[in-house]
Amino acid sequence: NRLKASREVESVDLPSCRLIKGIEAGAEDIDILPNGLAFFSVGLKFPGLHSFAPDKPGGILLMDLNEEKPKAKELRISRGFNLASFNPHGISTFIDSDDTVYLFVVNHPDFKNTVEIFKFEEEENSLLHLKTIRHELLPSVNDVIAVGPAHFYATNDHYFTDPFLKYLETFLNLHWTNVVYYSPNEVKLVAEGFDSANGINMSPDKKYIYVADVLAHEIHVLEKQPNMNLTQVKVLQLDTLVDNLSIDPSSGDIWVGCHPNGQKLFVYDPSNPPSSEVLRIQNILSEKPLVTTVYANNGSVLQGSSVATVYDGILLIGTLYHRALYCEL
Ligand SMILES: [Ca+2]
Ligand SMILES: [Ca+2]
C-alpha cells in the first residue's frame, strides 16, 4: 500500500503540451526564478533506479520562459568542480539582498551525499562553484530549500547511508527520516518521524515549510520559528506518492509532482511504464484545502513525474529518469 502498487491512473490532458528537447534521462527537480529563468536538474542516477543514460554525468539546464519558443541549454560549470561524478538531485535557488543568485544542488557523487552551492552568472551562462557541504546529519539528502546564501533546510529520505540498511529501513517502515537545518554556524535536526521525507519548499511569506512524505502520501505543514526550528501545524493526506513541491509565488498554491504507482517506478518495464500525475493544492492552511489533478498520464507520454512548477501560465513537469514537458495552462 505504501507503494500504491495496484493504482492505475485516468488520463487528464492539457490542451497544449510539448516534450522539451534535450531532456531524455530525467529532470528530477526544477526551480524557476521570479524573472522566468528555470533551472533543471538532469540525469539523476541511483542504485535500483532506471537510467536511460547510465554513462552520462548529470547537469544543470537553463530555460528562459520569457522566450517565444524557449529551449533548455546546459549551463557551464566552473573549473575545479568534478563534472564526471556530478549527479544532481533536488535543487533550490536563493536571491541575496545584493541580487546575487545562488543555486543549491543536492549531489550524489559516487552515490555519496553533498549539497553544492553555486553562484549563477547569467552573462556567462555558467555556474561558479562556491562550496561543497558534507555533514553527518545529511546522510541521504533528497531536496533542499535555501533560506540564506549558505543556509538551507534539507530532507533526508533515509536515515542510513548504506544501501542494505536503507532497504531494511524502508522495509521495516521505521519512520526515522528527518529534516535538517544547515547554516555555517549551526546544523541541527528540526523535524523527524517521516516515513521518507522528500520534496521541501516554503510559503511565499516565508512562515511555513512544506515537506512531502513520499511513502506516507502526505504533505506536512510546519511553522518556522525565529531559531529556525520547525513546529508541526497540519498534515494533508493524499492518495499518491508525493515527490517535489513547488510554490506559485503569486497565489501560494503548492504544485506537486507525484508517482501514482511506486511499484512501476522501481521495477522498470517499458511495456508497463510508471505513470505521471500533477496535483495543485490551494489554501493548504484552510479547513478544506482544494486538491486538483491538473495533469495525469499512464506513461505513454511522460513517465515518473517528480516535479511540477508554474510561471505565467506555463507549467513545467520533470521526471525521475524520463523526459520533461512544457505545457500551457
Ligand atoms: Ca527543490
Ligand atoms: Ca525528490
mmCIF file of all heavy atoms in Angstrom, residues 108-148:
data_model
loop_
_atom_site.group_PDB
_atom_site.id
_atom_site.type_symbol
_atom_site.label_atom_id
_atom_site.label_comp_id
_atom_site.label_asym_id
_atom_site.label_seq_id
_atom_site.Cartn_x
_atom_site.Cartn_y
_atom_site.Cartn_z
ATOM 1 N N HIS A 108 25.012 13.574 -5.615
ATOM 2 C CA HIS A 108 25.381 12.223 -5.157
ATOM 3 C C HIS A 108 26.592 11.722 -5.942
ATOM 4 O O HIS A 108 26.492 10.743 -6.690
ATOM 5 C CB HIS A 108 24.215 11.248 -5.334
ATOM 6 C CG HIS A 108 22.965 11.642 -4.637
ATOM 7 N ND1 HIS A 108 22.856 11.713 -3.263
ATOM 8 C CD2 HIS A 108 21.750 12.003 -5.116
ATOM 9 C CE1 HIS A 108 21.632 12.092 -2.928
ATOM 10 N NE2 HIS A 108 20.940 12.278 -4.031
ATOM 11 N N PRO A 109 27.760 12.372 -5.775
ATOM 12 C CA PRO A 109 28.950 11.861 -6.473
ATOM 13 C C PRO A 109 29.302 10.478 -5.914
ATOM 14 O O PRO A 109 29.391 10.320 -4.692
ATOM 15 C CB PRO A 109 30.030 12.901 -6.137
ATOM 16 C CG PRO A 109 29.552 13.585 -4.891
ATOM 17 C CD PRO A 109 28.060 13.503 -4.899
ATOM 18 N N ASP A 110 29.452 9.493 -6.783
ATOM 19 C CA ASP A 110 29.691 8.099 -6.353
ATOM 20 C C ASP A 110 28.653 7.655 -5.313
ATOM 21 O O ASP A 110 28.979 6.918 -4.368
ATOM 22 C CB ASP A 110 31.117 7.947 -5.801
ATOM 23 C CG ASP A 110 32.151 8.419 -6.808
ATOM 24 O OD1 ASP A 110 32.009 8.056 -7.997
ATOM 25 O OD2 ASP A 110 33.074 9.170 -6.421
ATOM 26 N N PHE A 111 27.431 8.119 -5.473
ATOM 27 C CA PHE A 111 26.288 7.795 -4.607
ATOM 28 C C PHE A 111 26.465 8.284 -3.172
ATOM 29 O O PHE A 111 25.781 7.832 -2.264
ATOM 30 C CB PHE A 111 25.939 6.297 -4.663
ATOM 31 C CG PHE A 111 25.694 5.820 -6.066
ATOM 32 C CD1 PHE A 111 26.360 4.712 -6.559
ATOM 33 C CD2 PHE A 111 24.813 6.494 -6.900
ATOM 34 C CE1 PHE A 111 26.145 4.286 -7.873
ATOM 35 C CE2 PHE A 111 24.591 6.081 -8.209
ATOM 36 C CZ PHE A 111 25.256 4.976 -8.691
ATOM 37 N N LYS A 112 27.398 9.214 -2.961
ATOM 38 C CA LYS A 112 27.523 9.858 -1.643
ATOM 39 C C LYS A 112 26.571 11.056 -1.584
ATOM 40 O O LYS A 112 25.838 11.318 -2.535
ATOM 41 C CB LYS A 112 28.974 10.286 -1.427
ATOM 42 C CG LYS A 112 29.939 9.114 -1.352
ATOM 43 C CD LYS A 112 31.316 9.608 -0.900
ATOM 44 C CE LYS A 112 32.294 8.467 -0.760
ATOM 45 N NZ LYS A 112 32.836 8.006 -2.057
ATOM 46 N N ASN A 113 26.609 11.790 -0.493
ATOM 47 C CA ASN A 113 25.651 12.877 -0.292
ATOM 48 C C ASN A 113 26.336 14.193 0.026
ATOM 49 O O ASN A 113 26.978 14.317 1.074
ATOM 50 C CB ASN A 113 24.705 12.523 0.857
ATOM 51 C CG ASN A 113 23.741 11.434 0.450
ATOM 52 O OD1 ASN A 113 22.660 11.705 -0.054
ATOM 53 N ND2 ASN A 113 24.161 10.179 0.629
ATOM 54 N N THR A 114 26.155 15.169 -0.870
ATOM 55 C CA THR A 114 26.675 16.509 -0.611
ATOM 56 C C THR A 114 25.606 17.522 -1.033
ATOM 57 O O THR A 114 24.676 17.192 -1.772
ATOM 58 C CB THR A 114 27.958 16.802 -1.419
ATOM 59 O OG1 THR A 114 27.638 16.782 -2.814
ATOM 60 C CG2 THR A 114 29.056 15.781 -1.153
ATOM 61 N N VAL A 115 25.756 18.734 -0.542
ATOM 62 C CA VAL A 115 24.982 19.859 -1.070
ATOM 63 C C VAL A 115 25.996 20.828 -1.655
ATOM 64 O O VAL A 115 26.945 21.232 -0.971
ATOM 65 C CB VAL A 115 24.125 20.534 0.022
ATOM 66 C CG1 VAL A 115 23.415 21.763 -0.537
ATOM 67 C CG2 VAL A 115 23.105 19.543 0.596
ATOM 68 N N GLU A 116 25.829 21.164 -2.935
ATOM 69 C CA GLU A 116 26.748 22.080 -3.622
ATOM 70 C C GLU A 116 26.091 23.452 -3.692
ATOM 71 O O GLU A 116 24.907 23.564 -4.022
ATOM 72 C CB GLU A 116 27.030 21.594 -5.055
ATOM 73 C CG GLU A 116 27.363 20.118 -5.195
ATOM 74 C CD GLU A 116 28.722 19.737 -4.612
ATOM 75 O OE1 GLU A 116 29.503 20.656 -4.297
ATOM 76 O OE2 GLU A 116 28.981 18.533 -4.470
ATOM 77 N N ILE A 117 26.880 24.488 -3.417
ATOM 78 C CA ILE A 117 26.370 25.855 -3.595
ATOM 79 C C ILE A 117 27.121 26.501 -4.758
ATOM 80 O O ILE A 117 28.356 26.516 -4.789
ATOM 81 C CB ILE A 117 26.517 26.695 -2.314
ATOM 82 C CG1 ILE A 117 25.833 25.984 -1.131
ATOM 83 C CG2 ILE A 117 25.913 28.084 -2.518
ATOM 84 C CD1 ILE A 117 25.932 26.724 0.187
ATOM 85 N N PHE A 118 26.341 26.989 -5.730
ATOM 86 C CA PHE A 118 26.885 27.666 -6.905
ATOM 87 C C PHE A 118 26.376 29.109 -6.937
ATOM 88 O O PHE A 118 25.288 29.405 -6.460
ATOM 89 C CB PHE A 118 26.403 26.994 -8.204
ATOM 90 C CG PHE A 118 26.827 25.571 -8.389
ATOM 91 C CD1 PHE A 118 25.981 24.525 -8.033
ATOM 92 C CD2 PHE A 118 28.066 25.266 -8.946
ATOM 93 C CE1 PHE A 118 26.358 23.204 -8.224
ATOM 94 C CE2 PHE A 118 28.450 23.942 -9.145
ATOM 95 C CZ PHE A 118 27.597 22.911 -8.781
ATOM 96 N N LYS A 119 27.172 29.975 -7.558
ATOM 97 C CA LYS A 119 26.704 31.320 -7.886
ATOM 98 C C LYS A 119 26.340 31.311 -9.365
ATOM 99 O O LYS A 119 27.125 30.852 -10.195
ATOM 100 C CB LYS A 119 27.828 32.317 -7.608
ATOM 101 C CG LYS A 119 27.457 33.748 -7.845
ATOM 102 C CD LYS A 119 28.652 34.647 -7.513
ATOM 103 C CE LYS A 119 28.410 36.010 -8.108
ATOM 104 N NZ LYS A 119 29.666 36.729 -8.337
ATOM 105 N N PHE A 120 25.145 31.784 -9.688
ATOM 106 C CA PHE A 120 24.694 31.811 -11.080
ATOM 107 C C PHE A 120 25.220 33.069 -11.757
ATOM 108 O O PHE A 120 24.998 34.181 -11.271
ATOM 109 C CB PHE A 120 23.169 31.777 -11.123
ATOM 110 C CG PHE A 120 22.583 31.961 -12.488
ATOM 111 C CD1 PHE A 120 23.035 31.203 -13.565
ATOM 112 C CD2 PHE A 120 21.564 32.877 -12.706
ATOM 113 C CE1 PHE A 120 22.488 31.363 -14.832
ATOM 114 C CE2 PHE A 120 21.009 33.048 -13.964
ATOM 115 C CZ PHE A 120 21.468 32.292 -15.024
ATOM 116 N N GLU A 121 25.942 32.889 -12.874
ATOM 117 C CA GLU A 121 26.473 34.023 -13.628
ATOM 118 C C GLU A 121 25.768 34.066 -14.976
ATOM 119 O O GLU A 121 26.127 33.342 -15.905
ATOM 120 C CB GLU A 121 27.995 33.876 -13.761
ATOM 121 C CG GLU A 121 28.642 33.850 -12.373
ATOM 122 C CD GLU A 121 30.152 33.898 -12.378
ATOM 123 O OE1 GLU A 121 30.749 33.116 -13.150
ATOM 124 O OE2 GLU A 121 30.717 34.694 -11.602
ATOM 125 N N GLU A 122 24.736 34.900 -15.018
ATOM 126 C CA GLU A 122 23.821 34.887 -16.167
ATOM 127 C C GLU A 122 24.521 35.262 -17.472
ATOM 128 O O GLU A 122 24.310 34.612 -18.495
ATOM 129 C CB GLU A 122 22.642 35.827 -15.899
ATOM 130 C CG GLU A 122 21.515 35.603 -16.896
ATOM 131 C CD GLU A 122 20.306 36.499 -16.654
ATOM 132 O OE1 GLU A 122 20.184 37.072 -15.561
ATOM 133 O OE2 GLU A 122 19.496 36.607 -17.581
ATOM 134 N N GLU A 123 25.363 36.286 -17.451
ATOM 135 C CA GLU A 123 26.014 36.746 -18.689
ATOM 136 C C GLU A 123 26.912 35.654 -19.268
ATOM 137 O O GLU A 123 27.011 35.500 -20.482
ATOM 138 C CB GLU A 123 26.866 38.005 -18.452
ATOM 139 C CG GLU A 123 26.063 39.273 -18.195
ATOM 140 C CD GLU A 123 25.480 39.313 -16.797
ATOM 141 O OE1 GLU A 123 26.198 38.916 -15.859
ATOM 142 O OE2 GLU A 123 24.308 39.701 -16.640
ATOM 143 N N GLU A 124 27.559 34.903 -18.386
ATOM 144 C CA GLU A 124 28.480 33.848 -18.851
ATOM 145 C C GLU A 124 27.755 32.526 -19.087
ATOM 146 O O GLU A 124 28.380 31.542 -19.483
ATOM 147 C CB GLU A 124 29.602 33.622 -17.834
ATOM 148 C CG GLU A 124 30.662 34.711 -17.797
ATOM 149 C CD GLU A 124 30.247 35.887 -16.915
ATOM 150 O OE1 GLU A 124 29.684 35.619 -15.836
ATOM 151 O OE2 GLU A 124 30.453 37.044 -17.303
ATOM 152 N N ASN A 125 26.427 32.485 -18.774
ATOM 153 C CA ASN A 125 25.676 31.248 -18.912
ATOM 154 C C ASN A 125 26.324 30.115 -18.100
ATOM 155 O O ASN A 125 26.456 28.990 -18.557
ATOM 156 C CB ASN A 125 25.619 30.852 -20.394
ATOM 157 C CG ASN A 125 24.333 30.151 -20.717
ATOM 158 O OD1 ASN A 125 23.268 30.540 -20.232
ATOM 159 N ND2 ASN A 125 24.412 29.097 -21.518
ATOM 160 N N SER A 126 26.764 30.462 -16.873
ATOM 161 C CA SER A 126 27.533 29.466 -16.122
ATOM 162 C C SER A 126 27.241 29.508 -14.631
ATOM 163 O O SER A 126 26.595 30.434 -14.109
ATOM 164 C CB SER A 126 29.030 29.691 -16.364
ATOM 165 O OG SER A 126 29.428 30.893 -15.738
ATOM 166 N N LEU A 127 27.726 28.472 -13.978
ATOM 167 C CA LEU A 127 27.618 28.341 -12.534
ATOM 168 C C LEU A 127 29.028 28.319 -11.949
ATOM 169 O O LEU A 127 29.868 27.535 -12.388
ATOM 170 C CB LEU A 127 26.903 27.034 -12.166
ATOM 171 C CG LEU A 127 25.437 26.907 -12.585
ATOM 172 C CD1 LEU A 127 24.954 25.465 -12.382
ATOM 173 C CD2 LEU A 127 24.560 27.866 -11.773
ATOM 174 N N LEU A 128 29.250 29.193 -10.980
ATOM 175 C CA LEU A 128 30.541 29.227 -10.306
ATOM 176 C C LEU A 128 30.415 28.430 -9.011
ATOM 177 O O LEU A 128 29.585 28.766 -8.152
ATOM 178 C CB LEU A 128 30.927 30.682 -10.006
ATOM 179 C CG LEU A 128 32.213 30.894 -9.217
ATOM 180 C CD1 LEU A 128 33.434 30.498 -10.040
ATOM 181 C CD2 LEU A 128 32.327 32.349 -8.763
ATOM 182 N N HIS A 129 31.210 27.354 -8.886
ATOM 183 C CA HIS A 129 31.097 26.525 -7.689
ATOM 184 C C HIS A 129 31.743 27.223 -6.497
ATOM 185 O O HIS A 129 32.895 27.642 -6.555
ATOM 186 C CB HIS A 129 31.757 25.159 -7.927
ATOM 187 C CG HIS A 129 31.587 24.237 -6.771
ATOM 188 N ND1 HIS A 129 32.638 23.806 -5.996
ATOM 189 C CD2 HIS A 129 30.463 23.699 -6.226
ATOM 190 C CE1 HIS A 129 32.162 23.020 -5.036
ATOM 191 N NE2 HIS A 129 30.860 22.934 -5.156
ATOM 192 N N LEU A 130 30.982 27.347 -5.404
ATOM 193 C CA LEU A 130 31.481 28.043 -4.217
ATOM 194 C C LEU A 130 31.843 27.097 -3.089
ATOM 195 O O LEU A 130 32.825 27.300 -2.387
ATOM 196 C CB LEU A 130 30.422 29.031 -3.689
ATOM 197 C CG LEU A 130 29.953 30.143 -4.632
ATOM 198 C CD1 LEU A 130 28.864 30.957 -3.948
ATOM 199 C CD2 LEU A 130 31.118 31.036 -5.021
ATOM 200 N N LYS A 131 31.041 26.042 -2.904
ATOM 201 C CA LYS A 131 31.177 25.269 -1.675
ATOM 202 C C LYS A 131 30.547 23.887 -1.810
ATOM 203 O O LYS A 131 29.492 23.744 -2.432
ATOM 204 C CB LYS A 131 30.435 26.047 -0.573
ATOM 205 C CG LYS A 131 30.772 25.643 0.832
ATOM 206 C CD LYS A 131 30.106 26.596 1.813
ATOM 207 C CE LYS A 131 30.388 26.147 3.242
ATOM 208 N NZ LYS A 131 29.741 27.006 4.226
ATOM 209 N N THR A 132 31.219 22.877 -1.234
ATOM 210 C CA THR A 132 30.632 21.540 -1.089
ATOM 211 C C THR A 132 30.383 21.295 0.386
ATOM 212 O O THR A 132 31.297 21.450 1.198
ATOM 213 C CB THR A 132 31.606 20.459 -1.618
ATOM 214 O OG1 THR A 132 31.795 20.656 -3.021
ATOM 215 C CG2 THR A 132 31.071 19.053 -1.380
ATOM 216 N N ILE A 133 29.148 20.931 0.719
ATOM 217 C CA ILE A 133 28.810 20.676 2.120
ATOM 218 C C ILE A 133 28.549 19.191 2.324
ATOM 219 O O ILE A 133 27.750 18.580 1.611
ATOM 220 C CB ILE A 133 27.559 21.501 2.519
ATOM 221 C CG1 ILE A 133 27.907 22.986 2.512
ATOM 222 C CG2 ILE A 133 27.042 21.072 3.893
ATOM 223 C CD1 ILE A 133 26.715 23.897 2.458
ATOM 224 N N ARG A 134 29.276 18.629 3.297
ATOM 225 C CA ARG A 134 29.032 17.250 3.745
ATOM 226 C C ARG A 134 28.822 17.321 5.242
ATOM 227 O O ARG A 134 29.522 18.084 5.917
ATOM 228 C CB ARG A 134 30.252 16.350 3.521
ATOM 229 C CG ARG A 134 30.603 16.082 2.111
ATOM 230 C CD ARG A 134 31.857 15.196 2.019
ATOM 231 N NE ARG A 134 32.364 15.246 0.660
ATOM 232 C CZ ARG A 134 33.202 16.175 0.222
ATOM 233 N NH1 ARG A 134 33.662 17.087 1.055
ATOM 234 N NH2 ARG A 134 33.588 16.177 -1.030
ATOM 235 N N HIS A 135 27.899 16.520 5.763
ATOM 236 C CA HIS A 135 27.677 16.561 7.208
ATOM 237 C C HIS A 135 27.038 15.259 7.656
ATOM 238 O O HIS A 135 26.237 14.679 6.915
ATOM 239 C CB HIS A 135 26.776 17.752 7.562
ATOM 240 C CG HIS A 135 26.795 18.101 9.008
ATOM 241 N ND1 HIS A 135 26.029 17.446 9.936
ATOM 242 C CD2 HIS A 135 27.530 19.014 9.684
ATOM 243 C CE1 HIS A 135 26.272 17.951 11.132
ATOM 244 N NE2 HIS A 135 27.186 18.909 11.008
ATOM 245 N N GLU A 136 27.370 14.820 8.876
ATOM 246 C CA GLU A 136 26.814 13.543 9.366
ATOM 247 C C GLU A 136 25.291 13.607 9.500
ATOM 248 O O GLU A 136 24.627 12.572 9.464
ATOM 249 C CB GLU A 136 27.457 13.158 10.705
ATOM 250 C CG GLU A 136 27.253 14.202 11.776
ATOM 251 C CD GLU A 136 27.951 13.872 13.089
ATOM 252 O OE1 GLU A 136 28.680 12.878 13.142
ATOM 253 O OE2 GLU A 136 27.743 14.636 14.045
ATOM 254 N N LEU A 137 24.723 14.809 9.627
ATOM 255 C CA LEU A 137 23.263 14.918 9.680
ATOM 256 C C LEU A 137 22.641 14.955 8.282
ATOM 257 O O LEU A 137 21.436 15.107 8.142
ATOM 258 C CB LEU A 137 22.833 16.157 10.469
ATOM 259 C CG LEU A 137 23.020 16.102 11.996
ATOM 260 C CD1 LEU A 137 22.550 17.408 12.640
ATOM 261 C CD2 LEU A 137 22.259 14.926 12.599
ATOM 262 N N LEU A 138 23.479 14.834 7.256
ATOM 263 C CA LEU A 138 22.969 14.809 5.869
ATOM 264 C C LEU A 138 23.378 13.484 5.195
ATOM 265 O O LEU A 138 24.131 13.478 4.223
ATOM 266 C CB LEU A 138 23.525 16.010 5.084
ATOM 267 C CG LEU A 138 23.181 17.401 5.645
ATOM 268 C CD1 LEU A 138 23.977 18.500 4.947
ATOM 269 C CD2 LEU A 138 21.680 17.680 5.528
ATOM 270 N N PRO A 139 22.849 12.339 5.703
ATOM 271 C CA PRO A 139 23.300 11.035 5.203
ATOM 272 C C PRO A 139 22.624 10.584 3.906
ATOM 273 O O PRO A 139 23.153 9.725 3.199
ATOM 274 C CB PRO A 139 22.913 10.077 6.339
ATOM 275 C CG PRO A 139 21.699 10.703 6.939
ATOM 276 C CD PRO A 139 21.903 12.195 6.830
ATOM 277 N N SER A 140 21.459 11.150 3.578
ATOM 278 C CA SER A 140 20.707 10.666 2.416
ATOM 279 C C SER A 140 19.784 11.782 1.928
ATOM 280 O O SER A 140 18.570 11.706 2.025
ATOM 281 C CB SER A 140 19.906 9.416 2.812
ATOM 282 O OG SER A 140 19.276 8.863 1.688
ATOM 283 N N VAL A 141 20.407 12.837 1.401
ATOM 284 C CA VAL A 141 19.648 14.063 1.099
ATOM 285 C C VAL A 141 18.838 13.893 -0.180
ATOM 286 O O VAL A 141 19.301 13.323 -1.160
ATOM 287 C CB VAL A 141 20.587 15.282 0.940
ATOM 288 C CG1 VAL A 141 19.789 16.575 0.993
ATOM 289 C CG2 VAL A 141 21.649 15.288 2.011
ATOM 290 N N ASN A 142 17.625 14.406 -0.153
ATOM 291 C CA ASN A 142 16.744 14.353 -1.315
ATOM 292 C C ASN A 142 16.539 15.734 -1.913
ATOM 293 O O ASN A 142 16.732 15.935 -3.104
ATOM 294 C CB ASN A 142 15.396 13.741 -0.906
ATOM 295 C CG ASN A 142 14.528 13.409 -2.096
ATOM 296 O OD1 ASN A 142 14.092 14.294 -2.804
ATOM 297 N ND2 ASN A 142 14.322 12.117 -2.334
ATOM 298 N N ASP A 143 16.152 16.714 -1.070
ATOM 299 C CA ASP A 143 15.872 18.051 -1.586
ATOM 300 C C ASP A 143 16.265 19.088 -0.543
ATOM 301 O O ASP A 143 16.440 18.768 0.643
ATOM 302 C CB ASP A 143 14.377 18.169 -1.940
ATOM 303 C CG ASP A 143 14.069 19.362 -2.836
ATOM 304 O OD1 ASP A 143 15.014 19.983 -3.375
ATOM 305 O OD2 ASP A 143 12.874 19.673 -3.001
ATOM 306 N N VAL A 144 16.403 20.335 -1.010
ATOM 307 C CA VAL A 144 16.760 21.446 -0.121
ATOM 308 C C VAL A 144 15.863 22.645 -0.429
ATOM 309 O O VAL A 144 15.358 22.778 -1.537
ATOM 310 C CB VAL A 144 18.236 21.892 -0.323
ATOM 311 C CG1 VAL A 144 19.196 20.926 0.311
ATOM 312 C CG2 VAL A 144 18.566 22.106 -1.791
ATOM 313 N N ILE A 145 15.696 23.516 0.568
ATOM 314 C CA ILE A 145 15.125 24.832 0.323
ATOM 315 C C ILE A 145 16.092 25.845 0.945
ATOM 316 O O ILE A 145 16.377 25.792 2.149
ATOM 317 C CB ILE A 145 13.673 24.968 0.872
ATOM 318 C CG1 ILE A 145 13.174 26.424 0.802
ATOM 319 C CG2 ILE A 145 13.525 24.465 2.297
ATOM 320 C CD1 ILE A 145 12.788 26.878 -0.578
ATOM 321 N N ALA A 146 16.617 26.711 0.089
ATOM 322 C CA ALA A 146 17.603 27.687 0.553
ATOM 323 C C ALA A 146 16.894 28.806 1.296
ATOM 324 O O ALA A 146 15.851 29.296 0.862
ATOM 325 C CB ALA A 146 18.362 28.247 -0.645
ATOM 326 N N VAL A 147 17.466 29.238 2.424
ATOM 327 C CA VAL A 147 16.906 30.351 3.195
ATOM 328 C C VAL A 147 17.957 31.429 3.457
ATOM 329 O O VAL A 147 17.701 32.384 4.178
ATOM 330 C CB VAL A 147 16.257 29.862 4.526
ATOM 331 C CG1 VAL A 147 15.037 28.996 4.244
ATOM 332 C CG2 VAL A 147 17.258 29.093 5.387
ATOM 333 N N GLY A 148 19.148 31.275 2.893
ATOM 334 C CA GLY A 148 20.219 32.250 3.040
ATOM 335 C C GLY A 148 21.321 31.872 2.071
ATOM 336 O O GLY A 148 21.235 30.831 1.413
#
